[in-house]
């Protein structure tokens, strides 16, 4: 049992940062993302001895986060009640809009740039790991990520100045 505890601990230490980024993408809120990841990891720990394919752990945790987030969303939906007064207008730069804009901007990138950026910043892979995964040199990874990030910055600046 101690071996399983240590194996789970090692998994969380190695993949926690990347999984937190996924949780943040799902919730759009850092505090909710931490709660979501903690809940998903708790469920994963409880199912640890039933998960035979350790290479699919990330997929299992991500699917768990999606399911939990949907349940939370449904629960919050029923907590909303109509009122006589309209609430204040949301801030102009709502983080959820930024998330949507980022996703759209990523979709507009060429496939290699999008893949390299997702592997680097969503999956927290190093440049050598990305190079091995994509079968390209480390220098190509660096230039591809750099060009892609420049396009994203330009795209997001333009979309932020356009009226909604």
């Amino acid at each position: 049992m101690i071996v399983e505890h240590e194996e789970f601990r090692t998994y969380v230490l190695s993949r926690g940062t990347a999984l937190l980024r996924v949780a943040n993408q799902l919730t759009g809120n850092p505090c909710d993302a931490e709660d979501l990841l903690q809940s998903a990891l708790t469920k994963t720990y409880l199912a640890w001895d039933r998960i035979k394919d350790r290479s699919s752990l990330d997929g299992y945790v991500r699917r768990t986060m999606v399911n939990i987030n949907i349940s939370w969303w449904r629960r919050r939906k029923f907590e909303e009640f109509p009122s006589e007064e309209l609430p204040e207008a949301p801030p102009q730069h709502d983080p959820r809009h930024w998330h949507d804009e980022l996703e759209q901007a990523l979709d507009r990138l060429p496939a290699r740039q999008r893949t390299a950026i997702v592997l680097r910043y969503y999956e927290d892979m190093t440049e050598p790991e990305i190079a091995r995964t994509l079968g390209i040199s480390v220098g190509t990874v660096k230039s591809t990520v750099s060009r892609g990030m420049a396009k994203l910055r330009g795209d997001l600046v333009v979309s932020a100045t356009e009226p909604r």
Side-chain angles (χ1 to χ4, degrees), residues 5 11 29 63 81 85 90 105 120 160:
H5 291 299
Y11 171 74
N29 179 319
R63 182 77 248 170
F81 301 100
E85 299 174 21
R120 180 69 184 103

Side-chain angles (χ1 to χ4, degrees), residues 3-21 34 36-46 48 51 54 57-58 60-61 65 123-124:
V3 172
E4 289 179 7
H5 291 299
E6 191 57 36
E7 187 180 8
F8 180 78
R9 182 180 181 279
T10 302
Y11 171 74
V12 172
L13 288 174
S14 67
R15 298 298 299 151
T17 304
L19 292 169
L20 183 58
R21 277 194 300 277
E34 290 175 359
L36 178 61
L37 179 58
Q38 184 175 9
S39 296
L41 289 174
T42 299
K43 287 184 179 274
T44 302
Y45 180 76
L46 293 173
W48 191 256
I51 302 171
R54 296 293 195 233
L57 280 170
D58 280 0
Y60 182 91
V61 175
M65 285 192 289
E123 293 298 319
D124 201 29

Side-chain angles (χ1 to χ4, degrees), residues 12 15 24 43 51 69 76 80 82 89 100 105 115 120 124 126 139 146 153:
V12 172
R15 298 298 299 151
N24 199 26
K43 287 184 179 274
I51 302 171
N69 196 46
R76 279 190 298 263
E80 296 175 7
D100 293 340
T115 302
R120 180 69 184 103
D124 201 29
T126 64
S146 177
R153 285 184 196 102

Side-chain angles (χ1 to χ4, degrees), residues 2 5 8 17-18 27 37-38 54 56 61 68 75 81 84 90 92 98-99 111 121 132 140 146 158:
I2 291 176
H5 291 299
F8 180 78
T17 304
T27 63
L37 179 58
Q38 184 175 9
R54 296 293 195 233
S56 64
V61 175
I68 292 169
R75 200 171 309 136
F81 301 100
E84 294 286 325
Q92 193 154 6
W98 281 105
H99 168 73
Y121 297 106
R132 279 192 301 276
T140 303
S146 177
V158 168

Side-chain angles (χ1 to χ4, degrees), residues 54-143:
R54 296 293 195 233
S55 65
S56 64
L57 280 170
D58 280 0
Y60 182 91
V61 175
R62 283 193 292 262
R63 182 77 248 170
T64 303
M65 285 192 289
V66 168
N67 291 342
I68 292 169
N69 196 46
I70 290 170
S71 295
W72 288 355
W73 177 81
R74 287 178 179 153
R75 200 171 309 136
R76 279 190 298 263
K77 184 177 171 184
F78 293 117
E79 293 173 358
E80 296 175 7
F81 301 100
S83 68
E84 294 286 325
E85 299 174 21
L86 291 175
E88 289 183 29
Q92 193 154 6
H93 297 292
D94 186 350
R96 287 170 288 199
H97 293 292
W98 281 105
H99 168 73
D100 293 340
E101 290 174 13
L102 177 59
E103 291 294 322
Q104 291 167 7
L106 277 170
D107 288 341
R108 288 189 289 269
L109 288 176
R112 184 191 277 186
Q113 287 179 356
R114 182 177 52 249
T115 302
I117 287 172
V118 167
L119 292 175
R120 180 69 184 103
Y121 297 106
Y122 283 73
E123 293 298 319
D124 201 29
M125 291 175 74
T126 64
E127 290 162 346
E129 289 172 331
I130 296 168
R132 279 192 301 276
T133 301
L134 299 180
I136 57 178
S137 71
V138 173
T140 303
V141 170
K142 290 178 181 183
S143 63

